[in-house]
Amino acid sequence: MENQNEKQVAPITILNQYIKDLSLEIPHAPQIFTKIDIQPQIKIDAQIRSEVVDENIYNVSLSFRIDGDVKEEKFFIVELDYCGVVSLNIPEEHVDAVLKIEVPHMLFPYARQAISGVLMDAGLPPLMLNPIDFVAMYHANKKSETK
């Protein structure tokens, strides 16, 4: 029988979360504000990267570039690298999937809040990003790697 005093180690532990890089540009301010009579066209590019920090410790980065255009003119550009340092206690064969699916799923709400907050602080309407299907993104990236 296992000793009940032994500590159970969580499979995923977030050790730290941080904003590595955050930028907002409103290149045509203040004139662009007079042209906002329609909803901006939003283009979102999201990427996931991971790297080894130490034994069983990884840094996972969610990178976003969000372009907002009004009448074919650049309204705003937001770029964010939101990162998490995580410790994993899982079998090696699951590490890649966990780093690119589970950890981003855990970090996403905080990244979304940072994006919405910076836009509101700049006097722009908040942008609530829709949830991302990290499983589909993982499989699409795996498929493109094998080509």
Side-chain angles (χ1 to χ4, degrees):
M1 188 169 147
E2 189 175 296
N3 184 351
Q4 291 181 341
N5 292 333
E6 285 185 35
K7 236 182 181 178
Q8 290 287 334
V9 178
I12 304 170
T13 303
I14 296 179
L15 303 173
N16 195 9
Q17 296 181 64
Y18 63 98
I19 294 173
K20 185 172 186 174
D21 187 23
L22 174 61
S23 92
L24 169 65
E25 296 176 46
I26 308 173
H28 300 291
Q31 293 80 7
I32 192 73
F33 293 113
T34 63
K35 300 176 182 179
I36 304 174
D37 56 357
I38 60 170
Q39 186 74 15
Q41 296 291 339
I42 306 293
K43 179 183 173 221
I44 300 169
D45 179 38
Q47 310 246 336
I48 301 167
R49 291 183 308 281
S50 64
E51 61 184 339
V52 176
V53 174
D54 203 349
E55 185 177 342
N56 297 326
I57 298 177
Y58 303 86
N59 187 72
V60 176
S61 175
L62 294 179
S63 297
F64 294 92
R65 178 183 167 113
I66 303 170
D67 289 277
D69 297 321
V70 173
K71 300 179 183 173
E72 299 182 20
E73 191 170 11
K74 190 61 61 194
F75 181 27
F76 66 84
I77 303 165
V78 175
E79 294 177 325
L80 171 68
D81 281 339
Y82 191 87
C83 303
V85 179
V86 298
S87 172
L88 299 183
N89 182 32
I90 59 174
E92 184 64 33
E93 65 267 17
H94 300 300
V95 168
D96 189 55
V98 168
L99 290 174
K100 294 182 179 153
I101 297 171
E102 294 303 322
V103 175
H105 179 76
M106 296 166 84
L107 298 176
F108 178 75
Y110 302 99
R112 176 172 56 189
Q113 178 60 39
I115 291 166
S116 181
V118 76
L119 288 171
M120 288 189 324
D121 289 347
L124 303 175
L127 174 66
M128 187 57 70
L129 294 177
N130 288 326
I132 294 174
D133 185 347
F134 292 110
V135 174
M137 191 175 179
Y138 176 77
H139 290 298
N141 288 338
K142 281 292 188 191
K143 190 179 276 188
S144 70
E145 287 174 8
T146 60
K147 288 184 180 180

